Amino acid sequence: MAYVPGVALLAALAVGCSAGSDGSATDADSKPGGPTVTTAPPGKYRTLPAPCRAVPSSTLKDLLPGVAELPRQQQEKALRGSPTITYDTDRKVGCSWKADAPDSSRNLSIDFERVVSYDPLVSDDDRARSLYVKKENVAELPGSSTPGTAPEKGAPTGTGGGEKGQEKETGKAGDGTGSADPSPSASAGTSSGTPGTPGGGDEDLRPRVVDGLGDAAFLDDLLTRAGSTAQHRTVSVVFRTSNVIVTVRYGEQPALVTKVPDSKELQDKAQALARKLAEVISE
């Protein structure tokens, strides 16, 4: 009976120590008031469409009239297009086509870029918006938003041409025309050499922001000389939808030195194709 109180005391001390240890661990792990890290949401699109199959054959035949005049096997080869060589097809893909007709040659290229932000505090959409703004700033569209900001849906249409930016944009097209110096009479945004006039009877065809295409879009138009003879016009339409940036380049070089490529036709067809590609991405 003399040892019972001692055993009871030791048991009570052991229980007390265990309770104290558990309480201390819980307090240390909880860390009340610590900072909460919020990761930016991923982009809407995780994949890209197959670029050489993104444009229907019927559309290609309309954009490249010379294809219809080719023998069957050559026609099929021309319609297949040439894939753009890239190092990461999950992030960037493209395709190009070219066809010669008796009166002119036309070239088309499309590029898809899926933007991924590796900064947990910057979303894919924000990163894509930043890259799109850089492309628009390079085009130097008068009437565009202040440098560093991107006009979104409903933004006012720009007016005027940006020759310096257009030269840079056209230089990426890879249309195979060699060095191209701006033609003295080839101011951007002309239809058969005649400038469009805002508010007048003619449609304004100068480089500008495009409404109703993706989250933001712009159109560039440059008329150049290939060598010292034929004139070449390239219309570029660039748009962003979520974390994907799409670029359409459509060009024509007439066979006759005196003929100027029709700006309105090229712009209308390039914009129509861009809208179809926006639908393809959303499917």
Side-chain angles (χ1 to χ4, degrees):
M1 295 297 293
Y3 295 98
V4 173
V7 173
L9 178 61
L10 290 174
L13 290 174
V15 171
C17 290
S18 299
S21 299
D22 290 342
S24 299
T26 301
D27 293 340
D29 290 342
S30 61
K31 295 180 180 179
T36 301
V37 178
T38 302
T39 303
K44 177 179 179 180
Y45 300 104
R46 303 296 183 89
T47 60
L48 292 172
C52 292
R53 295 198 298 269
V55 186
S57 297
S58 58
T59 302
L60 286 173
K61 290 179 181 179
D62 178 55
L63 295 171
L64 308 168
V67 169
E69 302 176 17
L70 296 174
R72 182 177 178 180
Q73 289 186 345
Q74 294 182 27
Q75 183 177 142
E76 292 176 351
K77 181 179 179 180
L79 293 175
R80 282 198 297 269
S82 302
T84 302
I85 298 176
T86 62
Y87 297 99
D88 188 352
T89 55
D90 287 333
R91 295 281 305 279
K92 191 170 184 178
V93 294
C95 193
S96 61
W97 299 262
K98 185 176 180 179
D100 297 322
D103 59 340
S104 68
S105 63
R106 300 204 184 192
N107 58 279
L108 169 69
S109 69
I110 60 175
D111 292 293
F112 298 96
E113 181 177 3
R114 184 175 66 89
V115 180
V116 177
S117 173
Y118 294 101
D119 185 342
L121 302 180
V122 179
S123 69
D124 294 346
D125 280 21
D126 287 342
R127 176 61 178 160
R129 183 182 294 106
S130 176
L131 293 178
Y132 169 84
V133 168
K134 289 181 180 179
K135 291 178 180 290
E136 185 181 295
N137 288 342
V138 167
E140 297 181 354
L141 307 179
S144 179
S145 57
T146 303
T149 61
E152 298 290 335
K153 291 181 178 179
T157 300
T159 58
E163 182 175 321
K164 180 179 179 182
Q166 293 155 21
E167 289 176 357
K168 291 181 180 179
E169 186 70 19
T170 303
K172 300 176 185 177
D175 50 38
T177 58
S179 61
D181 298 325
S183 168
S185 62
S187 59
T190 64
S191 178
S192 298
T194 305
T197 304
D202 296 336
E203 182 179 355
D204 186 6
L205 299 172
R206 290 173 292 184
R208 60 196 180 278
V209 170
V210 177
D211 291 329
L213 176 58
D215 296 317
F218 70 88
L219 178 149
D220 204 357
D221 188 330
L222 178 64
L223 183 64
T224 59
R225 283 192 180 277
S228 60
T229 56
Q231 299 185 78
H232 186 280
R233 184 184 294 279
T234 299
V235 171
S236 302
V237 178
V238 180
F239 71 91
R240 179 186 72 84
T241 174
S242 186
N243 62 316
V244 172
I245 299 175
V246 181
T247 301
V248 175
R249 295 187 182 93
Y250 184 42
E252 178 186 10
Q253 181 175 314
L256 297 177
V257 178
T258 56
K259 184 177 180 182
V260 180
D262 188 343
S263 182
K264 178 172 172 51
E265 178 194 1
L266 297 181
Q267 288 191 22
D268 287 349
K269 290 185 176 182
Q271 288 190 76
L273 175 58
R275 296 181 191 282
K276 288 183 180 180
L277 295 179
E279 295 176 358
V280 169
I281 294 175
S282 300
E283 291 177 352

